Amino acid sequence: MKNNNFFFPFDVFSRHKIVSLFVNDAEDRILDVGGGVNGLSHFVKNEVIVSNLNVGDIIADGKNLPLADNQFDIVTSIDVLEHVPKKDRQRFINELLRVAHKKVILSTPLGSDAHNKAEGKLLAYMESKGSNSDYLKEHIKNGLPTKKELEKYFPKNKTFFFFSGDFRLNNFLFKAQIKQFKNSLINKAFFYWQKLVNFFLNVFYFPFVKSKKPKKWTNRVFVIYEKSNNF
């Protein structure tokens, strides 16, 4: 991982960094389904092939990957499932399981009453500021996945769940990220202040964000499915 990754937005850093912790062999080939180009590759030494709808190495719908069974050692999907309608989620995950030879790693914002309410408030705030809110509209339309829902999609005896973050912090940081001042010098100073805040969060706060059980303000759930070894 390059040192400048510590200046990435905290939410971007934390979800990719956590996924990278479960990549144990630098020789494993990774398929990242629905991810951004060069997203996960900033955090692992492995070859990462990106499959996406519009950009990437493979242009395809995640529900119908043009790939052979077990073609990639590890298949990841980082904050994508919440953009998939509920009726299609099992099919989407089945494709991840089919293409993976060793492991599937999936992350998604965790659905809870508190989180859903917070996203509704954040959407209203973004719309009041004229900021693009399409991704939040998809969250609300499709519904954030709950742990109970996710348990239905994965084989029980080879699947491990854990949780991270506090959506209150993430929402605060996002509001700061889209804030603009009329004075260009203030905007520039504010930009570097955010970089500094992200650095301190990524270096000093990140080690404490993970938990084995969900909490009231939990931001994200990670699902790790091992094909070859039981947990």
Side-chain angles (χ1 to χ4, degrees), residues 79-220:
D79 284 31
V80 177
L81 192 64
E82 66 274 17
H83 298 285
V84 178
K86 280 189 179 182
K87 65 181 180 64
D88 296 323
R89 288 176 179 174
Q90 182 68 75
R91 182 179 172 187
F92 178 87
I93 289 174
N94 285 347
E95 281 293 270
L96 307 184
L97 297 171
R98 179 183 68 80
V99 175
H101 176 60
K102 293 182 179 180
K103 185 184 296 183
V104 171
I105 308 170
L106 179 143
S107 75
T108 179
L110 179 64
S112 65
D113 289 341
H115 201 171
N116 291 331
K117 290 178 182 177
E119 292 228 317
K121 291 180 180 179
L122 181 60
L123 175 60
Y125 176 84
M126 291 177 65
E127 290 181 333
S128 72
K129 299 297 181 181
S131 183
N132 186 292
S133 55
D134 289 346
Y135 86 96
L136 265 180
K137 290 177 181 177
E138 282 195 348
H139 286 195
I140 292 169
K141 178 182 177 181
N142 296 325
L144 298 181
T146 63
K147 181 175 182 288
K148 185 176 181 180
E149 177 188 346
L150 291 167
E151 287 173 338
K152 298 177 182 178
Y153 300 144
F154 290 87
K156 291 183 179 180
N157 64 328
K158 295 185 178 182
T159 305
F160 171 72
F161 293 84
F162 76 98
F163 309 86
S164 77
D166 185 321
F167 62 75
R168 297 171 299 176
L169 173 61
N170 285 75
N171 290 355
F172 171 79
L173 294 172
F174 187 79
K175 288 179 181 179
Q177 185 178 332
I178 65 173
K179 188 173 181 60
Q180 292 291 318
F181 298 92
K182 293 181 180 180
N183 187 295
S184 60
L185 289 177
I186 295 176
N187 272 327
K188 188 173 182 179
F190 188 62
F191 170 80
Y192 285 108
W193 176 83
Q194 290 181 80
K195 288 280 189 180
L196 186 61
V197 169
N198 284 321
F199 176 83
F200 276 97
L201 289 172
N202 294 336
V203 173
F204 299 108
Y205 176 64
F206 170 77
F208 304 99
V209 300
K210 300 181 289 297
S211 63
K212 293 183 179 179
K213 295 182 179 180
K215 302 175 183 179
K216 182 176 181 180
W217 313 112
T218 290
N219 185 52
R220 185 171 283 111

Side-chain angles (χ1 to χ4, degrees), residues 71-85:
Q71 186 167 339
F72 285 84
D73 297 300
I74 299 174
V75 177
T76 64
S77 183
I78 304 170
D79 284 31
V80 177
L81 192 64
E82 66 274 17
H83 298 285
V84 178

Side-chain angles (χ1 to χ4, degrees), residues 2-113:
K2 299 176 181 179
N3 290 336
N4 60 3
N5 287 0
F6 288 119
F7 291 98
F8 280 17
F10 174 68
D11 190 51
V12 174
F13 177 91
S14 60
R15 63 181 183 247
H16 288 91
K17 178 60 177 175
I18 289 176
V19 168
S20 76
L21 297 178
F22 292 92
V23 178
N24 307 119
D25 188 341
E27 298 301 317
D28 283 344
R29 294 184 71 228
I30 299 174
L31 175 70
D32 188 21
V33 179
V37 176
N38 294 328
L40 184 58
S41 63
H42 284 288
F43 294 83
V44 296
K45 296 179 180 179
N46 308 62
E47 177 187 11
V48 180
I49 302 298
V50 175
S51 174
N52 216 324
L53 287 171
N54 301 309
V55 294
D57 305 294
I58 301 170
I59 307 301
D61 189 322
K63 302 188 299 294
N64 188 24
L65 296 170
L67 300 166
D69 295 359
N70 305 309
Q71 186 167 339
F72 285 84
D73 297 300
I74 299 174
V75 177
T76 64
S77 183
I78 304 170
D79 284 31
V80 177
L81 192 64
E82 66 274 17
H83 298 285
V84 178
K86 280 189 179 182
K87 65 181 180 64
D88 296 323
R89 288 176 179 174
Q90 182 68 75
R91 182 179 172 187
F92 178 87
I93 289 174
N94 285 347
E95 281 293 270
L96 307 184
L97 297 171
R98 179 183 68 80
V99 175
H101 176 60
K102 293 182 179 180
K103 185 184 296 183
V104 171
I105 308 170
L106 179 143
S107 75
T108 179
L110 179 64
S112 65
D113 289 341

